[in-house]
Amino acid sequence: MTLILFSYFAAVIVATAIGVIASRKPVNSALALLVMFFHVAGLFVLLDAEFIAAVQIIVYAGAILVLYLFVVMLLNVRAEEGYHRQFVVGLVVGLAILIEAVLILSRSGFADRFPPTVSLAPSAAAIQGNTEAIGRALYTTYLFPFEVASLILLVAMIGAIILAKKGIFGKEERRK
C-alpha cells in the first residue's frame, strides 16, 4: 500500500512540476505548484514526519505561494504566445541530465548500501513524538543558532518596513 501511495505522490509531483514550467499562464503555474506542495506534504506523511508535512503546507502552500501570486498580480504578467526557441534545447539538455542520472545511479550500487529492512527498535524520537523531539532539540542543542536566525529575520523585517515606508511616504513628504 505504501508503494502505491508513494508512486501516486511521485507521479503527481513530477506531472505538476512539469505543469509549473510548461504552463504559459502564471496563475495556472501557481495552481500546479500548489498541488505539488500538497503532494510533497503527502510524502512527508508517508515518512511519518507529520510535523514537517504541516510546516510544508503552512509555509510553502500558505506563505510562499501567496507571495508568488502577489508578485504575478503586481507585475501584470501576460501569457506569452508563440513558440519558444529554447524549448528544444531545454528538452535535449533535460533528457541528457536524466540519462546521466539514471546511468550514475545504476552503476553506483546505491541500493546495495542499505539493508532491505529497517530496524523496528523504537528510537527516542519515536517514543516521544516528532514534534516534541524537534522542539526539544531546537530549544536545547540548537538554541543559539535558532536565536541568531530569529534576530536576522527581525532585522530583515524591520529593514523591509523602513524601505517600504520610505518609498510610500517619500513622495508625500517632498510635497510639504
Side-chain angles (χ1 to χ4, degrees), residues 37-38 40-45 47-61 130-131 134:
F37 285 153
F38 277 108
V40 169
L43 282 179
F44 284 129
V45 169
L47 293 171
D48 292 328
E50 295 85 9
F51 179 75
I52 297 176
V55 169
Q56 168 78 20
I57 291 173
I58 292 168
V59 172
Y60 287 103
N130 288 337
T131 308
I134 290 171

Side-chain angles (χ1 to χ4, degrees), residues 91-105:
L91 188 63
V92 170
V93 170
L95 286 174
I97 291 172
L98 179 67
I99 290 169
E100 287 177 13
V102 168
L103 287 175
I104 289 171
L105 287 176

Side-chain angles (χ1 to χ4, degrees), residues 106-128:
S106 67
R107 294 183 183 177
S108 69
F110 180 73
D112 299 335
R113 293 183 191 162
F114 300 102
T117 60
V118 178
S119 172
L120 296 177
S123 64
I127 293 171
Q128 65 184 0

Side-chain angles (χ1 to χ4, degrees), residues 8-92:
Y8 164 73
F9 286 136
V12 172
I13 288 169
V14 170
T16 54
I18 291 171
V20 168
I21 59 173
S23 178
R24 295 189 185 273
K25 296 181 180 180
V27 175
N28 290 348
S29 291
L31 290 175
L33 191 63
L34 177 68
V35 172
M36 188 187 74
F37 285 153
F38 277 108
H39 283 79
V40 169
L43 282 179
F44 284 129
V45 169
L46 284 179
L47 293 171
D48 292 328
E50 295 85 9
F51 179 75
I52 297 176
V55 169
Q56 168 78 20
I57 291 173
I58 292 168
V59 172
Y60 287 103
I64 303 297
L65 193 65
V66 170
L67 177 69
Y68 287 165
L69 286 174
F70 278 137
V71 168
V72 166
M73 287 187 271
L74 287 173
L75 293 179
N76 195 14
V77 178
R78 293 189 183 104
E80 292 186 21
E81 297 176 9
Y83 178 72
H84 290 287
R85 289 179 279 172
Q86 294 92 0
F87 179 75
V88 176
V89 175
L91 188 63
V92 170

